[in-house]
Amino acid sequence: MRSSNPAMNESAMDRIRQQASLATAGGAAADARFGAGLDQRGLDLETTGGPKEAALHMTVGGTAVKSLITLAIVVAGAGLTWGAYMKGVQSGETAGWLFPAMIGGAIGGLIFAIATAFKPHWAPFTTPIYGLLQGLFLGGISAMYQNSFTPESGLNGIVAQAVLLTMGTAGGMFILYAARIIRVTDKLRAGILIATMGVLLAYVASFVMSLFGATMPYLHDSGPIGIGISLVIVAVAAFNLLLDFDFIERGTAMRLPKWAEWYGAFGLMVTLIWLYLEMLRLLAKLKNR
């Protein structure tokens, strides 16, 4: 990589730290400044691979492995609360630790997400913990959705449907990105980040309004407008995957430190979890029409 690339010097970690707060809104996104000195795709053709490169610097393959490890941790954590909830449904007695674990997972996951965003070099330690905590929350909330619908409703398998839709969407966005059918330009990056912040602000406003007994109009409705809003939010979450893929590819080209693979996995997992939850909400709204 050319020495003129500012991402090559010791300020690279500082640049990641400055931009890491974007990860909590939709994944490990990087702004246009990361691309200074790179080609249109954020790549430097002088970058070389090999065993030494893989051992010292961020690679796409290494990030993929970390992402799979984190996903496995999420699934393991989800299995604990899913099993406990379903067992409680059958026996009529809910485990006393279930809801504290779910609440602790949601709050703890948020805390570790913020910590990782502001201290990205902590990612090798905080990302697995984040995955476990979020898994505890996801398993319980997924079981609640599953138990809310009868087999006659056609959505008794709502969780399986949400998982398949999430995987299909992620796979489709990866194909669109890898084939350069959709290119992550500066304008697209800015548009996705603005849309993501808009969604975040809407959810924050909805939460604040709920504290005073009010509700955000249409946001949680099951009517056509509410479903349309959910479709837009799902699309915003899906497009955040492009930013995650872009960060991983650009980070590899910049030869970011090896720990950045865990940060890339963290950002990708944040987006996938968000996308999965929005799929659940969308399917539930379609059922309640």
Side-chain angles (χ1 to χ4, degrees):
M1 185 177 289
R2 293 183 292 271
S3 59
S4 60
N5 189 337
M8 278 289 294
N9 55 38
E10 295 182 359
S11 68
M13 188 178 298
D14 291 333
R15 288 175 176 269
I16 295 175
R17 184 176 295 113
Q18 292 169 5
Q19 297 301 318
S21 59
L22 299 177
T24 59
D31 72 2
R33 289 175 296 171
F34 275 28
L38 303 180
D39 67 10
Q40 184 178 6
R41 288 163 40 183
L43 297 176
D44 189 321
L45 299 181
E46 296 179 17
T47 301
T48 58
K52 184 177 180 180
E53 179 75 16
L56 297 176
H57 303 292
M58 179 181 187
T59 65
V60 173
T63 306
V65 171
K66 270 71 171 184
S67 299
L68 290 174
I69 292 173
T70 306
L71 179 60
I73 293 173
V74 172
V75 172
L80 293 175
T81 47
W82 171 280
Y85 187 92
M86 290 304 182
K87 184 177 180 181
V89 170
Q90 295 175 357
S91 65
E93 184 176 351
T94 303
W97 58 268
L98 175 60
F99 292 108
M102 289 177 57
I103 297 173
I107 297 176
L110 177 61
I111 292 173
F112 274 90
I114 294 174
T116 307
F118 283 99
K119 300 289 185 179
H121 60 284
W122 290 359
F125 310 101
T126 57
T127 298
I129 298 174
Y130 166 81
L132 178 61
L133 292 171
Q134 286 292 277
L136 293 174
F137 169 72
L138 289 177
I141 199 69
S142 297
M144 290 180 180
Y145 271 98
Q146 180 81 0
N147 193 54
S148 297
F149 300 100
T150 63
E152 292 76 16
S153 69
L155 278 180
N156 188 242
I158 185 174
V159 171
Q161 294 175 34
V163 169
L164 290 175
L165 284 171
T166 301
M167 293 173 57
T169 301
M173 297 305 291
F174 177 76
I175 292 173
L176 292 175
Y177 177 82
R180 307 302 170 186
I181 296 174
I182 298 180
R183 296 179 178 273
V184 181
T185 63
D186 292 345
K187 289 183 178 180
L188 179 62
R189 189 179 293 111
I192 294 173
L193 295 178
I194 291 172
T196 301
M197 291 304 300
V199 173
L200 178 61
L201 289 175
Y203 277 136
V204 171
S206 177
F207 174 74
V208 173
M209 290 175 65
S210 68
L211 297 178
F212 298 94
T215 59
M216 176 73 73
Y218 303 116
L219 183 62
H220 305 291
D221 292 351
S222 299
I225 296 179
I227 291 173
I229 291 174
S230 282
L231 286 171
V232 170
I233 295 176
V234 165
V236 172
F239 269 83
N240 266 272
L241 288 170
L242 296 178
L243 300 189
D244 296 326
F245 300 148
D246 181 59
F247 173 85
I248 294 169
E249 185 176 37
R250 288 151 67 86
T252 298
M254 294 172 191
R255 300 192 208 182
L256 294 183
K258 192 67 176 177
W259 57 258
E261 293 178 349
W262 282 106
Y263 186 74
F266 161 74
L268 186 59
M269 204 55 49
V270 168
T271 306
L272 287 174
I273 290 173
W274 177 28
L275 180 60
Y276 168 73
L277 288 172
E278 294 300 341
M279 288 294 186
L280 275 178
R281 285 168 50 82
L282 176 59
L283 289 173
K285 284 185 177 183
L286 290 171
K287 164 61 182 72
N288 290 327
R289 286 190 62 187

